[in-house]
Amino acid sequence: MPFTISHLPDISRSHRYAAEATACAIASLNSALLRYPIRKASRAYFEMQRDLPYFIQATVIPATCILVNRNYKPIGSNQAAGDRGLKYEDFKALHVRLTPAQIAAVVSPGSARPVP
């Protein structure tokens, strides 16, 4: 059976706040780059897919966003893309309140969306 993201532990509820989760992802990436060759379907590839912020997703809570990974799950989640059952609102420790200007400062040009 090939290694997939589901083989990694889900750490999405282990962080106290979004900044801590992001710092952990950066440290993990630094470590992974030293330990493994980065190739698709490697442990390091899936760790990065699970842990690194990929998108700033609006939630139903006014002016509140959550950082999500490449699978649009809360950072640290090991669920594959398309898996249902997670509500962004349940991950309060990963919520961030960013202004449109703050979002625009950290995303690729043209991809910033206003926070509802």
Side-chain angles (χ1 to χ4, degrees):
M1 181 176 191
F3 194 85
T4 67
I5 194 169
S6 64
H7 289 102
L8 297 174
D10 188 312
I11 60 171
S12 59
R13 295 183 189 274
S14 66
H15 302 293
R16 293 174 294 182
Y17 45 90
E20 176 187 74
T22 303
C24 180
I26 292 168
S28 177
L29 174 60
N30 284 332
S31 176
L33 290 172
L34 294 173
R35 290 182 296 169
Y36 309 108
I38 305 300
R39 64 183 193 289
K40 202 166 181 132
S42 70
R43 181 179 182 92
Y45 172 84
F46 288 115
E47 285 176 346
M48 289 186 288
Q49 189 178 36
R50 177 193 66 187
D51 298 340
L52 292 175
Y54 178 72
F55 191 76
I56 302 169
Q57 175 66 50
T59 68
V60 298
I61 302 168
T64 302
C65 301
I66 186 170
L67 301 176
V68 295
N69 63 25
R70 186 87 178 177
N71 290 328
Y72 294 91
K73 306 298 180 203
I75 51 178
S77 174
N78 69 344
Q79 291 194 13
D83 284 354
R84 302 282 184 232
L86 290 180
K87 293 182 184 176
Y88 295 140
E89 295 72 31
D90 293 341
F91 292 83
K92 293 187 184 346
L94 298 178
H95 289 178
V96 293
R97 293 182 178 262
L98 300 171
T99 66
Q102 289 171 314
I103 293 171
V106 296
V107 299
S108 300
S111 62
R113 294 189 293 171
V115 177

